[in-house]
Amino acid sequence: MLRALELFAPLPLQEDYDNAGLQIGLTEADVSGALLCLDVTEAVLDEAVRLGCNLIVAHHPLIFRPLRCVSDANYVQRVVMRAIQEHIAIIAMHTNLDNAPGGVNFKIAEKLGLCDARLFATKQVAGVEGGSGVIGEMPEPVAAEAFIKQVKETFGVECVMANELLRRPIRKVAICGGAGSFLLRDAVAEGADAFITGEMHYHDYFDHEQQIQICVIGHYQSEQYTKEIFQSVIQEQCPGVTCHLSQVNTNPIIYL
């Protein structure tokens, strides 16, 4: 299972700050079932126990920063302790999945129905090619207001943070799930009419009026379909493993 996931999203593609791969557990353990999620929380761990799954595959690493102790001080430490007690392995596929062909950004493009999606801001690491973003084209040009409405409906977004509406049709769309403000200039250089990401800083919105339509939809919302990628890989490479898509909404942000 771990090998199949790492073949799809090779670990060399992860960013230097990341901690993707096996987080907890034994590599040779037989898998009774896999729970697929965005974040590993106590509620997700409860769900895994209830479903009889001894493996959790997450997008965001549970162990991201070094653990100086393992106690009940916070949810990360509590989950680590209980996962070990319950013999549940945890795997994270994070920025390696963001950067992989067919990864997170391709899933966003698929949900939007973009055509001819391809990587941009590409890089090659240890002979493996990847890219921080994906760019593709709408099937037909669409006005900015209609485009934003489609984005809201596709991702179940309560509000989109945008700059002023573009006064030309949107055809070429650049994508970076999660925190993608670092790719805005690359999207402009690629000639994109719109840029979709999960979060951006306030000052990044300035000075792009009528240059590109910025659409910020929320970190969780932009990556919520990532577990479908895990499901596809596992079903294809490990067809005997039962997969469950987590039903727990782990988004810590609420909109009032």
Side-chain angles (χ1 to χ4, degrees):
M1 174 82 70
L2 179 61
R3 189 175 299 111
L5 290 166
E6 290 183 358
L7 281 173
F8 183 83
L11 290 181
L13 288 179
Q14 71 177 309
E15 303 296 336
D16 293 342
Y17 59 79
D18 203 5
N19 188 37
L22 181 67
Q23 304 252 291
I24 297 171
L26 303 176
T27 56
E28 301 303 321
D30 292 331
V31 179
S32 62
L35 180 62
L36 316 177
C37 62
L38 191 65
D39 308 282
V40 186
T41 64
E42 290 171 281
V44 169
L45 189 56
D46 288 341
E47 187 180 24
V49 172
R50 187 169 65 252
L51 293 170
C53 297
N54 68 346
L55 173 64
I56 296 174
V57 182
H59 182 44
H60 294 140
L62 172 68
I63 304 173
F64 190 70
R65 299 177 180 85
L67 291 176
R68 298 189 181 279
C69 69
V70 179
S71 67
D72 62 351
N74 56 52
Y75 87 91
V76 172
Q77 294 180 36
R78 292 192 295 270
V79 170
V80 168
M81 282 200 302
R82 189 172 175 212
I84 293 171
Q85 290 168 349
E86 300 281 0
H87 302 287
I88 293 176
I90 296 176
I91 295 171
M93 295 282 113
H94 191 209
T95 53
N96 54 320
L97 190 65
D98 292 334
N99 294 330
V104 175
N105 297 315
F106 281 92
K107 178 58 70 173
I108 297 171
E110 174 193 317
K111 293 293 181 180
L112 280 171
L114 298 188
C115 307
D116 302 321
R118 61 173 175 82
L119 292 168
F120 77 101
T122 57
K123 58 183 175 181
Q124 194 146 7
V125 183
V128 180
E129 185 173 11
S132 299
V134 160
I135 193 164
E137 296 193 356
M138 299 289 290
E140 299 291 338
V142 62
E145 189 171 2
F147 175 77
I148 291 174
K149 181 180 179 182
Q150 179 182 340
V151 169
K152 290 179 67 173
E153 291 173 351
T154 300
F155 296 96
V157 177
E158 296 174 63
C159 66
V160 170
M161 297 178 68
N163 57 347
E164 70 176 25
L165 293 180
L166 203 65
R167 292 193 291 272
R168 67 173 189 270
I170 290 173
R171 181 65 178 263
K172 187 179 286 190
V173 180
I175 294 166
C176 183
S181 58
F182 69 99
L183 272 187
L184 180 58
R185 290 185 182 275
D186 295 270
V188 171
E190 289 280 347
D193 301 304
F195 178 61
I196 297 174
T197 190
E199 56 181 282
M200 277 178 49
H201 298 295
Y202 171 80
H203 289 96
D204 292 326
Y205 290 82
F206 283 98
D207 205 29
H208 296 290
E209 297 82 5
Q210 299 311 311
Q211 184 183 58
I212 191 168
Q213 184 68 66
I214 296 170
C215 299
V216 178
I217 64 175
H219 197 122
Y220 176 91
Q221 290 87 341
S222 71
E223 297 179 337
Q224 62 186 296
Y225 299 117
T226 300
K227 52 193 175 184
E228 295 180 10
I229 304 173
F230 298 143
Q231 184 180 42
S232 296
V233 173
I234 293 168
Q235 287 181 341
E236 181 177 330
Q237 300 298 323
C238 310
V241 175
T242 301
C243 291
H244 301 271
L245 300 180
S246 176
Q247 300 303 302
V248 177
N249 182 337
T250 58
N251 190 1
I253 301 169
I254 61 174
Y255 299 86
L256 301 175

